[in-house]
Amino acid sequence: MTAMQTAPAAAGVRDDDAVRVRGLVKRYGGRTVVDGLDLDVRRGEVFALLGPNGAGKTTTVEVLEGVRTRDGGEVTVLGEDPARAGRAWRDRTGVVGQTTGAGNALTVRETLDHFARYHATPVPTAELLADVALAESAGTRVSRLSGGQRRRLEVALGIQGRPELLFLDEPTTGMDPVARRSFWGLVRGLRAAGTTVLLTTHYLDEAAELADRVGVLAAGRLVEVAPPAELGADLRRVATVRWTEDGAVREVVTREPAAVLRDLLAAHPAGEVPGLTVTRPDLEEVYLSLVGATATPEGEPR
Ligand SMILES: Nc1ncnc2c1ncn2[C@@H]1O[C@H](COP(=O)(O)OP(=O)(O)OP(=O)(O)O)[C@@H](O)[C@H]1O
């Protein structure tokens, strides 16, 4: 095959999928922590894997990065199986993990200059420093950086090689609100430049701000994948009607609040239902329901 020819796409793999996972299984000592996971990340999108501690986010991402083995399933990342992919594939991905790879003795600028040598066309150090708002700390030793500054250095190292696909594992942990917002701007800029981003986060607001699509991971399975505004659409249709009766708060959880209201108004001919409210779950409540942190019985007064 000449360099001009391209390999035929594997059956079922869309050209615009940066990541395709089918039936991923990972066990630690007999305990299944990723349990038959299916996942597609399209080229050019920001995809957030959202889930509680221990849901399997890091394990999944590390399998996709090619740094962790798997016990089952098919994984294709940028057209290759990460378990077998080589140096050329690795150069097309960027990784910001939970632990730092940067040494402590060098300054920030020295660290970036050092790692630049590993990339064919690295982003110039001055540009990187500005991108992650570390220009003022360029001469500071890495050992003297705050937690949030260190995190920004790791992000700089992750994007230094101009990756096609960037993995960000809980990237804003330890950042203050200003650094977090500036980081969000950075991710938006990467997306605008065509970089695919797969990030893990505990933060709902971060997923809602950044992601084109969010995958909610619970106990090693994806329980829902949707754009943030559509997450839990089914759960959001459930409304809670509350009112006061005989001095006590009554509550009905229902998909048909209009019918409940009709009954209530019929029971109050004067037209006034004391303490009446109708609410629908917000994003946080939807998320908690999805990951099984709450279960809301439907239809029964409580
Ligand atoms: N090297 C390991 N050996 C044994 N168990 C592990 C190992 N790494 C992770 N686990 C376990 O696998 C489960 C999934 O962990 P993982 O780090 O993937 O979850 P996570 O969703 O990223 O959690 P967090 O949000 O806390 O980072 C957890 O119960 C964890 O204790």
Side-chain angles (χ1 to χ4, degrees):
M1 194 168 70
T2 69
M4 294 301 287
Q5 290 173 314
T6 51
V13 177
R14 293 187 338 192
D15 277 350
D16 59 348
D17 282 341
V19 172
R20 185 180 162 92
V21 176
R22 289 294 174 272
L24 177 63
V25 174
K26 177 68 187 177
R27 297 184 197 97
Y28 290 117
R31 193 164 67 93
T32 304
V33 299
V34 180
D35 188 12
L37 182 104
D38 295 341
L39 172 69
D40 294 312
V41 179
R42 299 172 192 144
R43 278 188 198 264
E45 78 172 333
V46 176
F47 189 101
L49 264 185
L50 182 69
N53 289 135
K57 303 180 297 294
T58 299
T59 301
T60 300
V61 167
E62 288 183 350
V63 169
L64 303 187
E65 291 167 359
V67 299
R68 202 166 277 286
T69 59
R70 61 185 190 262
D71 295 303
E74 291 169 25
V75 178
T76 309
V77 175
L78 299 179
E80 297 192 42
D81 182 339
R84 292 194 290 269
R87 174 76 196 267
W89 174 86
R90 207 160 287 283
D91 282 348
R92 296 165 62 204
T93 64
V95 172
V96 179
Q98 283 192 23
T99 49
T100 177
N104 285 325
L106 301 179
T107 67
V108 170
R109 183 184 287 109
E110 286 165 350
T111 302
L112 292 173
D113 285 343
H114 171 76
F115 283 101
R117 292 185 214 130
Y118 293 92
H119 303 290
T121 52
V123 178
T125 294
E127 204 178 302
L128 269 181
L129 287 168
D131 281 348
V132 299
L134 273 181
E136 285 176 13
S137 309
T140 305
R141 276 186 206 285
V142 173
S143 58
R144 299 264 164 92
L145 295 178
S146 71
Q149 289 171 326
R150 189 177 270 259
R151 208 72 195 111
R152 283 184 267 157
L153 173 60
E154 286 155 12
V155 172
L157 291 169
I159 62 176
Q160 188 172 37
R162 306 179 197 270
E164 282 169 54
L165 169 62
L166 179 64
F167 295 103
L168 296 167
D169 197 1
E170 294 177 22
T172 59
T173 301
M175 288 187 195
D176 67 29
V178 174
R180 242 176 124 221
R181 283 191 181 266
S182 127
F183 169 80
W184 290 354
L186 176 71
V187 172
R188 288 194 194 100
L190 289 168
R191 183 185 180 283
T195 309
T196 307
V197 178
L198 174 53
L199 70 94
T200 74
T201 184
H202 297 129
Y203 302 123
L204 268 169
D205 60 341
E206 185 158 286
E209 276 288 330
L210 288 182
D212 296 294
R213 292 190 304 145
V214 179
V216 178
L217 194 61
R221 281 174 175 268
L222 267 188
V223 292
E224 183 158 357
V225 178
E230 293 168 24
L231 207 60
D234 197 41
L235 294 166
R236 285 196 221 212
R237 276 194 277 278
V238 176
T240 302
V241 182
R242 284 193 189 90
W243 70 99
T244 311
E245 202 171 285
D246 302 329
V249 176
R250 304 295 305 273
E251 184 178 288
V252 173
V253 181
T254 177
R255 282 173 194 274
E256 292 175 359
V260 175
L261 290 177
R262 261 197 312 274
D263 291 350
L264 276 173
L265 288 169
H268 295 80
E272 177 82 9
V273 182
L276 179 66
T277 59
V278 181
T279 54
R280 291 185 190 274
D282 61 20
L283 187 58
E284 184 162 333
E285 288 163 328
V286 165
Y287 167 71
L288 290 173
S289 270
L290 286 173
V291 300
T294 63
T296 314
E298 195 185 328
E300 295 291 320
R302 288 186 291 189

